[in-house]
Amino acid sequence: MKFILILLFAIHLAAYDAFIKPEQLHNILEEKNLILLDVSDYSSYDQSHISGAIHVDISKFKKSKYARLAVNYSKKVEDAMSKLGINNDSNVVIYSRTNSNDYLNTTYLASIFLQHGFNNVSILDGGYMAWVFKYNDIVTSKESKSLQKGNFKVLSNPLVLVGDEYLNQGSEIIPAKSVKEIFFDDLTLKNELELKKLFADELSLSKDNKVVIYGDTLLTSCANWYVLYQMFDLKNMKIYKSSTE
């Protein structure tokens, strides 16, 4: 019983890093090292966004022809992060509007940052609408931009996107869960016990096992990868490249 309680407590701490509530964001909104990123379409951002949020064109973090991981484009990712003002000590929070397509962009971008060695990244639980519900006076239509270039340098570039040759080395492939399975209708994250039940088979695997996520799209795979990697510490997770085809 004591071990279970310790495990749940550890997951809770990790969950705080992976997803934060509007109240938590509100508490750090004035911190100098906060970089708040809005990955909604620009027309939505232009109409209204959280004060201080910088708009991100998510296409800059994808290949132009295929929606593949940006993992092979370290310099491109580093340049894009620099233009957003991201430093080594920045605290990055990403959010979008409350629809599943936009919300998947948050987990995609957060995954790309993690895969390039930047770990201090969180997602606003419930996105923009969750913020407006509590803090509708702290929004604006005035565009925000980074005041200076960031100094973050890519620290790692692991091979996250893998193919059949990796599976032939004894890896286990598991199907990705849908957005509706991971999040509630308002796109707030389901609680720890529900997630543990949902990912029961995956969480029973050893952290040393070679595990590959396969989803119907890259974004779905990234959403699963982000939750398992960040919240449940499965650092050896890979994404099957056929998710992108």
Side-chain angles (χ1 to χ4, degrees):
M1 175 63 73
K2 183 177 180 181
F3 173 79
I4 294 174
L5 290 175
I6 292 173
L7 177 61
L8 287 174
F9 181 68
I11 290 174
H12 176 73
L13 291 180
Y16 175 84
D17 292 333
F19 292 85
I20 68 171
K21 299 292 185 182
E23 309 90 85
Q24 294 170 309
L25 175 58
H26 183 264
N27 290 339
I28 62 173
L29 200 59
E30 300 302 322
E31 291 187 0
K32 292 183 179 180
N33 65 338
L34 174 67
I35 304 289
L36 184 58
L37 303 178
D38 186 324
V39 297
S40 310
D41 62 87
Y42 185 77
S43 61
S44 297
Y45 171 86
D46 190 46
Q47 184 176 0
S48 182
H49 53 269
I50 301 174
S51 297
I54 300 170
H55 182 259
V56 177
D57 179 1
I58 198 69
S59 68
K60 293 185 180 299
F61 293 89
K62 298 177 181 177
K63 285 186 178 180
S64 58
K65 187 175 181 181
Y66 298 106
R68 299 244 183 195
L69 283 175
V71 72
N72 295 321
Y73 291 85
S74 295
K75 185 65 172 114
K76 181 179 179 181
V77 171
E78 185 175 293
D79 290 344
M81 292 176 73
S82 174
K83 291 177 181 178
L84 292 171
I86 297 176
N87 298 316
N88 292 324
D89 63 348
S90 294
N91 177 21
V92 174
V93 177
I94 307 171
Y95 77 91
S96 71
R97 283 351 187 229
T98 311
N99 70 68
S100 57
N101 289 333
D102 273 357
Y103 208 74
L104 283 172
N105 284 332
T106 63
T107 48
Y108 175 81
L109 185 60
S111 297
I112 292 300
F113 286 178
L114 285 169
Q115 291 157 17
H116 286 78
F118 185 83
N119 297 311
N120 198 18
V121 57
S122 303
I123 291 172
L124 178 60
D125 197 19
Y128 180 72
M129 293 309 298
W131 176 266
V132 171
F133 183 77
K134 286 183 172 290
Y135 306 109
N136 63 1
D137 59 327
I138 312 180
V139 298
T140 184
S141 60
K142 183 179 179 180
E143 184 173 8
S144 295
K145 291 185 177 295
S146 174
L147 298 179
Q148 57 186 8
K149 287 190 175 182
N151 59 19
F152 176 75
K153 300 296 182 183
V154 169
L155 301 177
S156 62
N157 191 12
L159 295 176
V160 174
L161 192 66
V162 297
D164 292 334
E165 68 284 355
Y166 189 83
L167 298 181
N168 293 334
Q169 298 174 12
S171 302
E172 181 174 353
I173 188 166
I174 57 177
K177 315 301 182 185
S178 69
V179 173
K180 291 184 178 180
E181 291 177 288
I182 300 173
F183 301 96
F184 293 111
D185 289 342
D186 63 356
L187 291 179
T188 53
L189 188 70
K190 290 187 176 180
N191 64 48
E192 293 170 8
L193 293 179
E194 288 175 298
L195 289 174
K196 286 184 68 178
K197 183 177 180 180
L198 175 65
F199 288 108
D201 293 338
E202 290 82 346
L203 296 178
S204 67
L205 297 170
S206 167
K207 292 179 181 179
D208 296 327
N209 283 15
K210 293 181 178 181
V211 183
V212 182
I213 286 284
Y214 172 75
D216 57 345
T217 69
L218 171 64
L219 297 185
T220 301
S221 296
C222 280
N224 283 253
W225 185 90
Y226 181 78
V227 171
L228 291 170
Y229 184 94
Q230 279 289 77
M231 295 184 63
F232 297 105
D233 202 36
L234 294 183
K235 302 302 186 188
N236 202 30
M237 296 293 300
K238 306 293 184 181
I239 295 176
Y240 190 41
K241 69 179 182 180
S242 291
S243 299
T244 68
E245 296 175 349

